[in-house]
Amino acid sequence: MKRLQSKGAAVKVYQRTDAGWPEDPRVEALPTRECGRRADAPVVTGLAKLGRGGVVAADMKRQVTTSECALRFLEEDAANGDQGAADQVKIASAAHRTRTVGGRLYVSGPAYGSGTGWRTLGKAPGGAALYGDQIIDPFDIGTLKFLVRTATINRAGPAHYDADGRRVNKTWAYRGTTTFAALFRASKPFRDMLGGRLDPRVGKISFMWGVHTDHTGVPVTVITVWRTGDGYRLRGATAATRYSWDVKASISAPAVTGPGRDPYSDDLVDAYR
């Protein structure tokens, strides 16, 4: 990773998340065949650039596809004056963009404010656009040292697929179980993600993680899986991220139309906060 940082390597990202948010009871009451598939997992794609210390810039797109029945009920609620439902309808039908470059976070999409174009959310670390569903930063040395040190599996692994769907036959597997509190202490990117504060209730939750690299140690996949139990609105989640490395990235600051708003969203980082 230090070698990748020193040469300013770029990486392509493909990520899917499955989160256990509460389902609309009206949807739960309908037969699955009537609604077709349940809501698709949020998909995040984009590019990130490394430099000294880890990710120095990122340009990501996040798209959520809402199931037909859930969207229909949201539209009905919006027509009856429910502003929250109206906001969710906008979010469900749009792609959202986040970009960090030059120490600032730029955003685009209806969740961040009305109108089109880019907006700014102010100062932010280079990886701020990259994380929100996936909490493991495989480009941060401190995070990697913690994971390798606490791994219960450290051996040759099975084949994995990169962000372009290409098979990587020779991999090395690091896997383990830890708590959000332990990751918070060890990982500066995770602390940055949460604004420097972790709810003590969340800190007690354990999660399983896995990092697979190719035979040179370059990350190919990162997976996190956790469940909460009773008393939590979010029942758990799985985030699976894949990387491709033979790419180039030039990420520049966009022209902005004004300040954005901190959005209502279903990013997992909102649940942790």
Side-chain angles (χ1 to χ4, degrees):
M1 186 51 59
K2 290 180 179 178
R3 186 169 62 249
L4 292 169
Q5 291 179 2
S6 66
K7 70 178 185 180
V11 59
K12 183 177 182 180
V13 180
Y14 177 87
Q15 178 178 290
R16 291 183 68 88
T17 306
D18 180 15
W21 292 104
E23 188 74 72
D24 187 322
R26 295 169 296 183
V27 175
E28 288 287 344
L30 294 172
T32 302
R33 62 180 179 274
E34 182 174 333
C35 294
R37 293 186 305 161
R38 296 294 188 185
D40 286 347
V43 174
V44 175
T45 57
L47 296 169
K49 191 170 180 60
L50 303 187
R52 185 177 180 181
V55 178
V56 296
D59 187 359
M60 312 303 296
K61 180 175 77 171
R62 190 175 191 271
Q63 179 81 57
V64 181
T65 302
T66 304
S67 70
E68 179 182 341
C69 290
L71 185 58
R72 185 177 75 230
F73 288 131
L74 284 172
E75 290 171 340
E76 291 176 1
D77 292 343
N80 291 327
D82 186 331
Q83 186 58 50
D87 289 342
Q88 289 186 57
V89 170
K90 291 180 182 179
I91 293 170
S93 59
H96 288 81
R97 297 278 302 277
T98 55
R99 184 181 297 179
T100 37
V101 59
R104 297 190 70 83
L105 175 61
Y106 301 92
V107 294
S108 176
Y112 298 105
S114 60
T116 59
W118 288 90
R119 296 173 176 270
T120 180
L121 285 182
K123 295 181 180 180
L130 187 56
Y131 299 106
D133 292 326
Q134 181 59 265
I135 60 174
I136 295 291
D137 182 346
F139 314 122
D140 175 69
I141 301 300
T143 304
L144 289 177
K145 286 182 176 180
F146 166 72
L147 296 178
V148 171
R149 186 176 69 250
T150 60
T152 53
I153 292 178
N154 184 341
R155 64 183 182 222
H160 278 255
Y161 292 86
D162 68 9
D164 291 295
R166 296 171 300 191
R167 183 182 174 97
V168 180
N169 289 313
K170 294 182 179 180
T171 70
W172 197 265
Y174 301 91
R175 297 181 189 173
T177 300
T178 189
T179 65
F180 288 123
L183 181 67
F184 186 81
R185 291 190 296 269
S187 176
K188 184 179 184 301
F190 189 43
R191 294 194 297 273
D192 290 342
M193 214 186 296
L194 298 179
R197 180 182 179 276
L198 179 67
D199 187 309
R201 289 197 314 151
V202 175
K204 298 176 182 178
I205 298 172
S206 297
F207 68 93
M208 295 179 289
W209 60 269
V211 176
H212 286 79
T213 72
D214 67 10
H215 68 282
T216 70
V218 174
V220 178
T221 64
V222 171
I223 300 172
T224 50
V225 182
W226 54 274
R227 299 290 179 265
T228 56
D230 296 334
Y232 294 86
R233 181 166 177 262
L234 181 60
R235 295 187 297 273
T238 300
T241 314
R242 297 185 280 163
Y243 307 100
S244 294
W245 290 90
D246 51 350
V247 298
K248 294 182 179 180
S250 178
I251 302 172
S252 58
V256 298
T257 60
R261 68 181 184 192
D262 194 21
Y264 163 84
S265 75
D266 60 355
D267 279 20
L268 298 187
V269 69
D270 293 326
Y272 307 143
R273 286 172 176 164

